[in-house]
Amino acid sequence: MSDPITVPKAELHCHIEGAAPPTLVKSLAEQYSIDVSSVLDGNGKYIWSDFTTFLKAYDVASSVFKTPADYSLLSEAYFRMLAAEGAIYGEIFISPDHAQAAGLSYRSYVEGLAAGIERAKTDTAIEGRMIAIGVRHFGSASVERVAKEVIGNPHPMVTGFGLAGDERSGHPANFSKAFRMASDAGLGTTAHAGEFGGPESIIAALEFLRVKRIGHGVRAIEDKELVKRLVDEQIVLEVCPGSNISLGVYSVLRFHPLNMLRREGVKITLNSDDPPFFGTTLGKEYVSVSETFGWSLEDQVEITQTAIEAAFCDDATKNRLLVRLDSVLQNPGTS
Ligand code: ADE
Ligand code: ZN
């Protein structure tokens, strides 16, 4: 097994609020006198038991981030941690609805996050972008509001638009207007589907949202025709194995379909989703998947290359990252 640090990594699917270290949530909660005891236990671990209670815990954890400085602390810590694991690129999902609920305007939310990403980049050279998400279970009006806000306040680091939240609520057709607006504005688009919904949910996201990337998408394995379509249309799956195991989508990693999907020719990437909630990190995902499915260094590098090629950043940045990926491989230990 190759040294995990020497494998250059890239991440496309991580919710920044879901990446909040429990210690940071606890200290901000104390500072603002917010009670987070329902979602953080005495050992500093998040408390949840299923997808619904996970989403609620995520809401409570998000509520302690009240200022741009709070958010810059969070993004800086996250990107530094990613870089320390060998990542050269990361996209984070940002949730303007959660920032607004905590009293922050969209602009100050994005500026705070951007400042933290820039600080991490100065020291580690990691490159970062943001994908603003609408929350599916908040309904189509709220998702359209997010799309309008993102388009009306362009920021060079906000390069994508996405749909997260409870896939069991609301049909993708309800969100097609928001996605059309986002694509027309030049944003890359992605939607969570095929996590708690079956293949039909993925098909509906492709049809109604016209996305080229799918968050999770792993339940495509249940429909041979759909797998063929993903291959033919070169749809990229943002696979989050540790999240799927923690949330009970699959019982153990060995039964996860990611390797079968890859062998069928589907483009897949590895991601941590909401790392401290699921006891994972991007580095752990690369290691556990590689150990379970016997992946070589070349297999892992191909995953990173797929992520960079599918990234929502400009071509010049992609090319620089691909050169960097290559140079790390030529000179291991110099990332
Ligand atoms: N928001 C944060 N994590 C999520 C997940 N795994 N699925 C859907 N929405 C989310
Ligand atoms: Zn997600």
Side-chain angles (χ1 to χ4, degrees):
M1 181 60 41
S2 48
D3 171 3
I5 300 297
T6 66
V7 179
K9 303 171 184 75
E11 181 164 64
L12 302 181
H13 187 131
C14 173
H15 302 259
I16 192 61
E17 286 83 0
T23 45
L24 179 58
V25 170
K26 190 164 176 282
S27 80
L28 289 172
E30 278 163 10
Q31 184 182 326
Y32 295 124
S33 305
I34 297 171
D35 180 9
V36 291
S37 59
S38 64
V39 302
L40 265 184
D41 71 15
N43 300 318
K45 287 189 122 183
Y46 285 115
I47 306 167
W48 56 273
S49 56
D50 57 16
F51 188 47
T52 305
T53 52
F54 155 70
L55 288 172
K56 292 219 168 85
Y58 173 100
D59 291 345
V60 174
S62 304
S63 71
V64 306
F65 294 90
K66 300 215 157 283
T67 68
D70 297 340
Y71 267 110
S72 64
L73 271 182
L74 173 56
S75 58
E76 181 178 358
Y78 187 63
F79 277 85
R80 280 185 187 281
M81 194 280 290
L82 267 189
E85 289 195 322
I88 57 174
Y89 182 74
E91 283 176 9
I92 50 171
F93 289 129
I94 66 170
S95 177
D97 287 309
H98 284 87
Q100 190 188 43
L104 260 178
S105 73
Y106 174 72
R107 269 169 188 268
S108 36
Y109 176 50
V110 166
E111 277 160 16
L113 288 164
I117 299 172
E118 287 293 354
R119 285 205 295 267
K121 180 179 169 179
T122 302
D123 280 356
T124 67
I126 191 166
E127 196 63 69
R129 295 291 185 275
M130 296 178 254
I131 300 172
I133 52 144
V135 179
R136 188 164 173 156
H137 54 274
F138 292 174
S140 58
S142 146
V143 175
E144 278 168 32
R145 202 168 49 242
V146 173
K148 283 188 189 138
E149 191 120 63
V150 177
I151 296 163
N153 295 279
H155 187 285
M157 291 173 88
V158 180
T159 52
F161 179 74
L163 186 65
D166 197 336
E167 186 188 352
R168 301 165 297 191
S169 108
H171 190 275
N174 302 341
F175 308 106
S176 54
K177 184 174 168 201
F179 274 73
R180 209 169 36 248
M181 291 191 297
S183 319
D184 288 349
L187 296 164
T189 55
T190 175
H192 283 59
E195 178 191 22
F196 286 94
E200 68 293 342
S201 172
I202 301 168
I203 294 167
L206 295 174
E207 293 297 314
F208 290 97
L209 308 179
R210 306 245 149 232
V211 287
K212 286 282 182 201
R213 274 172 37 185
I214 295 275
H216 301 283
V218 288
R219 291 193 51 201
I221 199 69
E222 297 164 29
D223 179 341
K224 256 181 172 308
E225 277 300 303
L226 176 57
V227 171
K228 184 172 179 313
R229 179 173 176 187
L230 297 180
V231 175
D232 290 346
E233 296 182 15
Q234 304 203 6
I235 303 297
V236 173
L237 301 187
E238 302 155 6
V239 178
C240 310
S243 159
N244 293 156
I245 306 304
S246 273
L247 286 167
V249 180
Y250 299 102
S251 56
V252 287
L253 189 50
R254 151 170 86 79
F255 295 151
H256 194 289
L258 72 97
N259 204 39
M260 268 191 279
L261 288 162
R262 181 165 182 256
R263 281 208 303 251
E264 292 294 326
V266 178
K267 287 182 179 285
I268 70 158
T269 62
L270 291 179
N271 304 278
S272 65
D273 208 6
D274 303 279
F277 283 86
F278 304 139
T280 191
T281 66
L282 183 62
K284 285 185 185 172
E285 296 295 334
Y286 270 72
V287 169
S288 62
V289 166
S290 301
E291 285 179 354
T292 301
F293 298 110
W295 285 6
S296 64
L297 173 65
E298 288 72 24
D299 291 321
Q300 296 173 65
V301 168
E302 186 182 286
I303 295 298
T304 302
Q305 184 171 336
T306 301
I308 294 171
E309 287 167 354
F312 295 155
C313 65
D314 55 282
D315 286 344
T317 305
K318 272 187 203 193
N319 290 335
R320 268 199 308 278
L321 290 165
L322 290 171
V323 168
R324 210 170 144 201
L325 176 61
D326 202 46
S327 78
V328 175
L329 295 172
Q330 305 300 328
N331 310 288
T334 60
S335 86

